[in-house]
Amino acid sequence: MGFWDVFGIWLASALTIGIISFLYRDNIFYKACEAIFIGTSAGYWFIILYWDNLYRKFWTQATDPTNPEWYVPWFGFVLGVLILTRLFNKIGWLSRWPLAFIVGAVAGLYMMIYFVSNAMVQVSSTIMPVFTGSWVDIIANTTVVLGTFCGLVYFFFSKAHTGVFGGAARVGIWFLMITFGASFGYTVMSRMSLMIGRIDFLFGTWLGMIR
Amino acid sequence: MLSFPVTGQVIDTVKAVPDSELVVVAPVTSLIAADHKYDDGKMIDLSWVPSIDDRLVEGNVMGYKVYRIEGDSEPETIAELAPGSNAYNDQSVERGKLYSYFVSALSSNAETPSIRTAPIQPQREWLNIELINVLIMALVLGGAVIYFIETARRGKKLFVRKIAGLEAVDDAIGRATEMGRPILFIPGILDMDDVQTLAALTILGRITRVIADYDTKIFMPVSRSLVMTAGRETIKASYQAAGRPDAYSDDMVTYITDEQFGYVAAVDGIMVRERPATVFLLGAFFAESLILAETGNSVGAIQIAGTARPAQLPFFIAACDFTLIGEELFAASAYLSGEPKQMGSLKGQDVGKAIAMAAILIGVLTATIGEAWNVEWIQHITTGLRDIFSTR
Amino acid sequence: MRARELIVSGLIILFFLACYFFSPKPMEFSRSTSVLIIFLLAAAFVYVFIRTFRGRFIGRRVVFIFVGVALVLPFFMKFPLPLQISPEVQSVYDALEKLPPHSKILASFDYDPPSAPELQPMAVAFMKYAFEHDLKIIIMGLWPQGPQQADQAIQAAFIENPDLKQKTKYGVDYVNLGFQSGYEFVILQMGQSFKSMFPADLYNTPYDSIPLLKNVSNFSNVDFSMNFSAGKPGTAEWVQIAVDRFQLPLAAGNTAVQAPMIYPYLKKGSKGKKQLIGLLGGMAGGAEFEKLTKKPAKATTYLLSQSFAHVAVVIFIIIGNVAFFREKKGKK
């Protein structure tokens, strides 16, 4: 390993410990690490956005003499410039046009994606016989059907949650809370994994204590 | 759609290999080339019956090669498939051109071509009839949304049930005023094209109206530059409406960084240093949600959160005082603003939910009864309902 | 800066310097030491529980220390962990097993270094499996750092199995097309033409000059797809566009926080087809996949640490509830 590799590992370790020190209390090391992280990330994203979007997607295609559709990126460029007009009060209203274009295009794309994959297909998959197969299957199917139905009842805003409807909404929120608890558990695993990664770096890569 | 069976034309493309050890396998049969239905004219479907040596004698057929002939040009290999394959979708064709195909069965050292199909031209269809159910559902839902928007515009009051958490907003702002500590508003980390950010900004407008009246300080760190300008406009308009334009300052809304955890580190620092009495976490959040909520909790702030991202809701529910779950964020935005478009959209979506609930209820009943008593006409209802909501 | 902060900072720096200069490398606890440490930890938990029960609550920082110890110490212990293979991980493995040699796999790396501890081990295991079974990999990324993570996974696979480095050749056995911005619009365009989105690879070699990409124009020319995802754009977008529209066979590896959102795609639709073939969920999914490929590596090692941390969290949830009811009783 060269000098700069070793320096990089020591620097990364110092920054890691500086950020983790926030668990104790806010301190000058944390503030320094925070400022370095914010500055570096802002610079990094600026470079990525410039080279991958502005240069690669716009400039190389718009100025390529062999590209038969060279004029298409210019359309996007004009819309991009119009968004910047938001910074100026007098002509700020122009920025609504590119925003409308983005929202409209994304809505059109997501129309099929979310409407079909996340709504219709899920309703279709929920239509199942509940009393079929083994006891485990019966419980599983009943849980899926009840949870989906009562969850929909909870998010129905046109009727107050009273009477039988309110009871179903209550069941729905119970299902939601149990799901959130399970999801929380999964996420705890995720967060622990990230911490394990840092520990592997500190005690393994830096200190060499882990095989 | 055009499909032609074999035309009696054989192509001799067997490669030159040492003939003493040639392993010749039977060709594929019944090769059919058909234009793919309901597409842009960019796909041709091929199907065939695999070689009899693939079906009966294991190990002789090593695979298949699909050849395409464009017009009068030389055959080109477009795919190599595993043994047992009996279909292929050629997605690299161009509309308006003529193509014909043959498939070779491969042995360890030879290949046996099939008979070539007649030329076929891929066609474009303007409508995908198989997705007609999606069109109808979209029209029903869209129609409901438009109907309710128009109803709201005509001045009719649309009922929206009480949303827990909204009543706490005024109390939370009052608490901050009494304690003399600022309010922190975090509109999520996505940009203006995300509907959760728009909902958060609508609620911001309502909140800052009250803040301006109470003369409380508000800070709004953001991670997108467009959200910064939109946030400033919203707060400025609220202060002007409250008759306090002098109290507004651009420093209330600051851009930090686009980087997710850089933003989080900065907001955590602001929370610990400024010690806000109230924190609003409304919008789209990702992995930073628990970090923000925990830090806000640790400085003793009352926290009202809302997001439509299910993965982050558990953290807000655990660490915040009030949480707007999923669609309640949009309902809150509609409820507070009273804007016809938002109210109408909310009610229109309820129509969709009602349809889904009815479909599930009827579908499950018919599926259960149909399976238990084996009643055919009830089973048809179940299949029909499933097909209405399915494309696969 | 306060004296206490300075002292604590100094102690932490001394601790790490002591570890750097004086600790054995690598450090490994013997079985009896491991058992003793577990016993001491258990005793500490019991002490905290009794304290809480008596109304003397501990602070947040003590909880952090317990969790930190539960995460760090298992790295130096060697305990075999029983591991059950879940059906969704088995499905991924079975699908890969069915692929004949020379099959082309499109591997999308949609994550960045913050998610690497969870996804990198499964990516390395996947690469090792692919190279050992002569499967060809076309790498791409919808996140900027994704292709670099893929490169690191390949290098790690080569380090763990040096024969693979001799056997595989860039451009013939694998290729890295790099990152393309545009989120799910990239997937949509790739359905028509890969070249329109990736005119050259990561090293600026033109698409048409790469032997592996000959006859590969769009999704119909790949035999399988594997997606490693930490968020958006990721598995959900690949399913919604590449699978639903272009019928691309897809399996995925996700972070544990994403996995519950992806489970609905594992259900069969009305026509009996699943949207997603299988799912490796988080570190546990990665460890199960390593077990199936018979090459335990980082995910399996990390799992012991994770298990200890989970036990610590469960114990603190119980202690926390005891504290909650104790406090409620105290107020009455």
Side-chain angles (χ1 to χ4, degrees), chain C residues 118-131:
Chain C
E118 275 190 282
L119 295 174
Q120 199 71 357
M122 59 174 85
V124 173
F126 168 76
M127 286 299 185
K128 273 195 290 197
Y129 179 91
F131 290 146

Side-chain angles (χ1 to χ4, degrees), chain A residues 106-184:
Chain A
V106 169
L109 176 70
Y110 284 177
M111 170 78 179
M112 279 302 288
I113 291 170
Y114 283 101
F115 192 51
V116 174
S117 302
N118 285 13
M120 289 177 69
V121 169
Q122 302 304 324
V123 170
S124 173
S125 306
T126 311
I127 295 173
M128 61 175 92
V130 287
F131 300 119
T132 185
S134 64
W135 277 107
V136 174
D137 290 331
I138 291 173
I139 292 170
N141 292 350
T142 311
T143 307
V144 168
V145 170
L146 201 61
T148 309
F149 185 82
C150 293
L152 281 168
V153 167
Y154 176 78
F155 286 110
F156 193 76
F157 293 101
S158 298
K159 193 179 177 332
H161 286 173
T162 51
V164 173
F165 197 80
R170 195 118 198 105
V171 172
I173 196 70
W174 272 94
F175 269 96
L176 282 169
M177 291 301 158
I178 292 169
T179 311
F180 292 148
S183 177
F184 201 143

Side-chain angles (χ1 to χ4, degrees), chain B residues 42 76-78 80 82 88-92 261 286 294 298 309-312 315 386-387 390-392, chain C residues 60 100 114 191-192 215 217-221 223 232 243-244 246 257-258 261 270-271 273-275:
Chain B
K42 298 264 176 76
E76 62 164 324
T77 310
I78 57 167
E80 291 182 29
Y88 179 72
N89 302 114
D90 182 7
Q91 291 187 35
S92 50
F261 291 104
F286 293 81
E294 244 321 293
S298 72
R309 294 201 59 84
Q312 314 310 325
F315 311 126
R386 280 204 193 113
D387 287 342
S390 176
T391 59
R392 300 175 59 74
Chain C
R60 275 190 356 268
Q192 307 298 326
N215 294 329
S217 31
N218 53 41
F219 290 133
S220 65
N221 305 122
D223 303 295
K232 185 179 157 77
V243 177
D244 282 352
F246 299 104
V257 71
Q258 277 255 101
M261 307 304 136
S270 71
K271 288 165 188 160
K273 271 180 101 172
K274 283 199 279 187
Q275 287 168 295

Side-chain angles (χ1 to χ4, degrees), chain B residues 3 14 21-22 32 39 54 98 113 119 128 130 136 156 174 183 222 277 281 341 354:
Chain B
S3 74
V14 173
E21 289 174 25
L22 269 180
I32 297 174
D39 71 336
D54 192 6
L98 280 170
N128 186 343
E130 285 176 355
I136 292 170
K156 186 174 174 199
I183 292 170
V222 301
L281 296 149
K341 282 197 200 109

